[in-house]
Amino acid sequence: MTSTPATSTAMTAAAETASAAPAAEAADGTALHGPVTDWFDEHARDLPWRRPEAGAWGVMVSEFMLQQTPVSRVLPVYEQWLTRWPRPANLAAEAPGEAVRAWGRLGYPRRALRLHAAASAIQERHGGDVPREHGQLLALPGVGEYTAAAVASFAYGQRHAVLDTNVRRVFARAVTGRQYPPNATTAAERKLARALLPQDEQLAARWAAATMELGALVCTARGPECHRCPIAAQCAWQLAGAPAHEGPPRRTQTYAGTDRQVRGKLLAVLREAVAPVPQQVLDAVWDEPVQRARALDGLVSDGLVEPLGGGRYRLPHA
DNA sequence: CAGACGTGGCA
DNA sequence: TTGCCAAGTCT
């Protein structure tokens, strides 16, 4: 490659690599690769989906579960799922309601439905094996840009920019010098992520996992532990004096009293029930009838609840 | 593109 | 106690 440039120069060049294409060596962020991947080698958590026996299916299941849900809550459910459904075919053979039930309280249960649908699609379109191509992954239900890149990178060792909330925050600080990334992912962020991606395929995959882990363990949203950060000395945000976030406030979501809370209560009853649930039992979870009906209708139209007629409901059987 | 979509832990 | 935050996707 090249000699290691002065750190701050390297950072600035990487940040500006978007527009021009100057000395490619100084602009490629090479100075960060070693420190971050070395740190990862020493500090990476031993998570089950990172073990070789997890396979691509284990990686995919974990990625679905980790969408907006912390690792600590995913761990036990992940183990149950992989034990019960070690292959996509096993899940595809179940009623979708069983996936919703086994999802437990992870939240956003539509993910369970989509994972079940993804397993079916894998069975039908790919012979039961999680596809390797980014485009084929992206075509699966519940798989967006992030998850497609993550599976391709973590499960198959391919070179993809994996841009999740952790990586976005690390880049925002280390390279762009801001405390937080923009609310929505921008083209500039994608461009930067591609520019920083190591050329070597295996190193790129390791870099993706390492930057994510750094954001999860050290460069956290609230209390970043910069004294433990392998690139603190090169961090643009630190070098700028750790300025506070400017711009529009990060959007915050309310929950109490919303349809989402009602949906959650309704679905909790149905998950626990073995037999179809009478309307009157569901009515007991929320006293406001209009909102309650709207929430139930929403669950039905989402395919999370199956109406049986006669005022009885259950998790979907097909 | 802003908003919908669950749940629980922690400061 | 309230508010923030957690490996996003879909419409």
Side-chain angles (χ1 to χ4, degrees), chain A residues 158-316:
Chain A
Q158 295 171 22
R159 183 176 181 274
H160 291 281
V162 179
L163 202 53
D164 79 323
T165 189
N166 289 306
V167 176
R168 294 181 61 217
R169 189 174 53 249
V170 169
F171 289 173
R173 290 175 181 166
V175 181
T176 314
R178 296 190 171 273
Q179 185 178 22
Y180 297 116
N183 273 334
T185 304
T186 63
E189 285 182 278
R190 295 192 189 88
K191 195 165 192 173
L192 176 61
R194 286 195 301 272
L196 292 175
L197 199 57
Q199 286 303 316
D200 177 75
E201 188 175 40
Q202 288 189 46
L203 180 58
R206 190 145 203 79
W207 163 256
T211 48
M212 199 175 307
E213 189 78 337
L214 186 62
L217 298 183
V218 174
C219 193
T220 57
R222 252 180 291 198
E225 299 191 65
C226 304
H227 62 98
R228 296 202 298 138
C229 180
I231 53 173
Q234 308 156 61
C235 176
W237 184 55
Q238 284 295 302
L239 264 29
H245 179 70
E246 299 173 21
R250 325 186 66 208
R251 80 160 193 235
T252 163
Q253 59 175 15
T254 55
Y255 180 64
T258 61
D259 286 7
R260 291 157 74 179
Q261 184 182 23
V262 183
R263 287 166 56 106
K265 286 179 175 295
L266 290 170
L267 208 55
V269 171
L270 290 159
R271 275 198 311 263
E272 299 308 312
V274 177
V277 175
Q279 177 83 57
Q280 87 179 55
V281 174
L282 295 178
D283 287 350
V285 309
W286 197 257
D287 57 10
E288 209 294 293
V290 174
Q291 187 179 27
R292 189 179 64 221
R294 186 172 64 232
L296 185 53
D297 284 350
L299 289 171
V300 171
S301 60
D302 285 349
L304 284 163
V305 172
E306 183 177 3
L308 294 178
R312 301 172 81 83
Y313 298 87
R314 68 179 179 189
L315 298 180

Side-chain angles (χ1 to χ4, degrees), chain A residues 40 44-52 54 59 78 209 212-213:
Chain A
F40 184 66
R45 290 168 291 181
D46 176 28
L47 300 170
W49 44 86
R50 286 179 177 161
R51 298 200 281 264
V59 171
Y78 171 86
M212 199 175 307
E213 189 78 337

Side-chain angles (χ1 to χ4, degrees), chain A residues 56-58 60 87-88 122 126 128-132 137 140 151 155-156:
Chain A
W57 174 238
M60 173 168 282
R87 303 275 307 143
I122 289 169
H126 305 291
D129 293 318
V130 176
R132 309 178 69 93
L137 289 164
L140 297 172
V151 172
Y156 295 123

